[in-house]
């Protein structure tokens, strides 16, 4: 059984007709000499299933403007522009019907021509206001993202809000611009911690589970991590001047490659006017020791996601006590029982922000 497309609402039955969407279809040129793309080519460009494009054509009239019966569908530049508007609205969390109305209003498509002179079927796409807010409430949004049977293709995001579902769609479509914009908009409105807890972390978890379930999608996870890091670092770059005289040193333990949650902590601290020195995973042990010595920090947070790297002896190699810095560790790799008494294990991102802020500001 086929899963519904993560960006569309096409039923499984729509996938039976694959003759016109074969990957071997040659590209074409319309009568007006504008380059035209096949269904398969447009589907690849948008990151959706070919059946979704047929559904958008049949239900909402968002198909090729000069399609005639008996010929393969060919999409021109104006047609593709409307589809991109449709996809952009879906990524913002709009329902398919709302997204179609937005696409048709914004792109102002030419009238569609069919061989029998009839108009395409439309699911009551009335004229209405434009999609101004970027997110519309759509309780009937038909998504594979929250479906119970995704066949390994969709993301399991049951109960997620429109922005979270939009982030999942953008990640699956490898739409890095939309991923970053959705995260930046959310952090501007709701803050870093809430965005991490309610939006980014659920999608990261769902993408990881999808990869484990299907064995595919490493590129989705990588793009999501990279885009999230970029968005979080934009918060750091635009943060107000810090209030603490002595900074916080944030670094993964040597050998640890996972650092996204540490970047989220840095962004949340920066938004709270807590100055820090954030170091990436490439910093060797001697570099970490030198950074602590030169920064004279008020606190040090060492991140470890893998237990293999979370060795308490790492703490002995850096001059935390000599600098009279408060020592914290964070990440799933640490075991509280194995830590020295002067080292505190931080839990959630929210707890970490609260504890570190209280430590450096008194």
């Amino acid at each position: 059984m086929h899963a519904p497309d993560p960006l569309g609402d096409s039923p499984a039955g729509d996938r039976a007709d694959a003759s016109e969407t074969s990957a071997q279809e040659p590209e074409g040129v319309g009568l007006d000499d504008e380059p035209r793309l096949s269904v398969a080519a447009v589907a690849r460009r948008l990151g959706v299933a070919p059946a979704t494009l047929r559904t958008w054509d049949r239900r909402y009239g968002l198909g090729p403007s000069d399609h005639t019966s008996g010929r393969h569908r060919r999409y021109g530049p104006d047609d593709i522009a409307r589809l991109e508007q449709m996809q952009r609205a879906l990524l913002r969390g709009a329902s398919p019907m709302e997204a179609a109305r937005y696409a048709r209003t914004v792109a102002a498509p030419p009238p569609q021509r069919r061989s029998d002179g009839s108009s395409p079927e439309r699911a009551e796409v009335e004229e209405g206001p434009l999609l101004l807010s970027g997110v519309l409430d759509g309780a009937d949004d038909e998504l594979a993202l929250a479906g119970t049977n995704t066949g390994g293709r969709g993301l399991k995001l049951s109960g997620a809000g429109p922005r979270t579902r939009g982030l999942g769609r953008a990640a699956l479509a490898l739409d890095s611009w939309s991923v970053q914009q959705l995260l930046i908009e959310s952090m501007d409105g709701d803050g870093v911690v809430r965005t991490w807890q309610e939006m980014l972390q659920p999608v990261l978890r769902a993408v990881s589970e999808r990869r484990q379930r299907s064995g595919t999608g490493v590129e989705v996870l990588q793009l999501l991590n990279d885009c999230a890091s970029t968005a979080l670092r934009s918060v750091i770059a635009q943060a107000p001047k810090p209030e603490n005289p002595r900074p916080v040193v944030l670094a993964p333990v040597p050998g640890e490659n996972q650092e996204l949650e540490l970047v989220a902590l840095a962004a949340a601290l920066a938004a709270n006017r807590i100055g820090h020195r954030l170091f990436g995973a490439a910093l060797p042990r001697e570099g970490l020791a030198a950074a602590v010595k030169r920064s004279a920090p008020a606190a040090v947070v060492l991140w470890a996601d893998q237990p293999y790297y979370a060795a308490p002896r790492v703490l002995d190699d850096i001059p935390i006590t000599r600098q009279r810095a408060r020592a914290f560790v964070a990440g799933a790799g640490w075991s509280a029982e194995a830590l020295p008494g002067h080292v505190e294990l931080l839990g959630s991102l929210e707890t970490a922000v609260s504890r570190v802020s209280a430590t450096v500001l008194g």
Side-chain angles (χ1 to χ4, degrees), residues 127-293:
E127 295 300 322
L130 298 183
L131 179 67
L132 297 177
S133 65
V135 175
L136 299 179
D137 293 327
D140 59 346
D141 200 2
E142 303 175 25
L143 305 175
L145 299 173
T148 57
N149 180 15
T150 61
R153 294 187 57 196
L155 300 181
K156 294 183 177 180
L157 287 170
S158 300
R163 284 192 182 275
T164 304
R165 296 197 302 271
L167 181 64
R169 289 191 183 97
L172 289 180
L174 300 181
D175 185 348
S176 57
W177 186 89
S178 292
V179 169
Q180 293 174 16
Q181 291 303 308
L182 287 168
L183 290 173
I184 290 172
E185 290 172 6
S186 179
M187 289 187 289
D188 285 346
D190 299 330
V192 174
V193 172
R194 186 174 176 184
T195 297
W196 174 269
Q197 293 176 336
E198 300 180 6
M199 186 175 178
L200 181 54
Q201 193 174 45
V203 176
L204 284 167
R205 186 183 302 114
V207 170
S208 297
E209 291 174 351
R210 174 181 178 267
R211 183 188 175 193
Q212 295 174 359
R213 188 170 66 246
S214 65
T216 61
V218 63
E219 73 285 358
V220 177
L221 186 59
Q222 183 67 49
L223 179 135
L224 181 58
N225 272 276
D226 291 345
C227 290
S229 180
T230 299
L232 290 165
R233 291 177 187 275
S234 73
V235 174
I236 298 173
Q238 300 175 30
K241 184 178 179 179
E243 295 181 347
N244 51 312
R246 298 172 61 195
V248 179
V249 168
L250 307 170
V253 297
E256 177 63 68
N257 292 319
Q258 302 297 325
E259 61 180 23
L260 184 61
E261 191 164 356
L262 187 66
V263 179
L265 174 58
L269 290 174
N272 285 354
R273 303 180 72 97
I274 304 297
H276 63 268
R277 307 290 186 267
L278 174 63
F279 296 93
L283 187 67
R285 184 168 302 184
E286 62 273 17
L288 177 58
V292 173
K293 183 178 180 180

Side-chain angles (χ1 to χ4, degrees), residues 22 50 78 89 101 103 124 129 167 261 263 280 340 344 354 359:
S22 170
D78 291 340
R101 182 174 59 214
E124 299 181 0
L167 181 64
E261 191 164 356
V263 179
E344 180 180 346
S354 175
T359 297

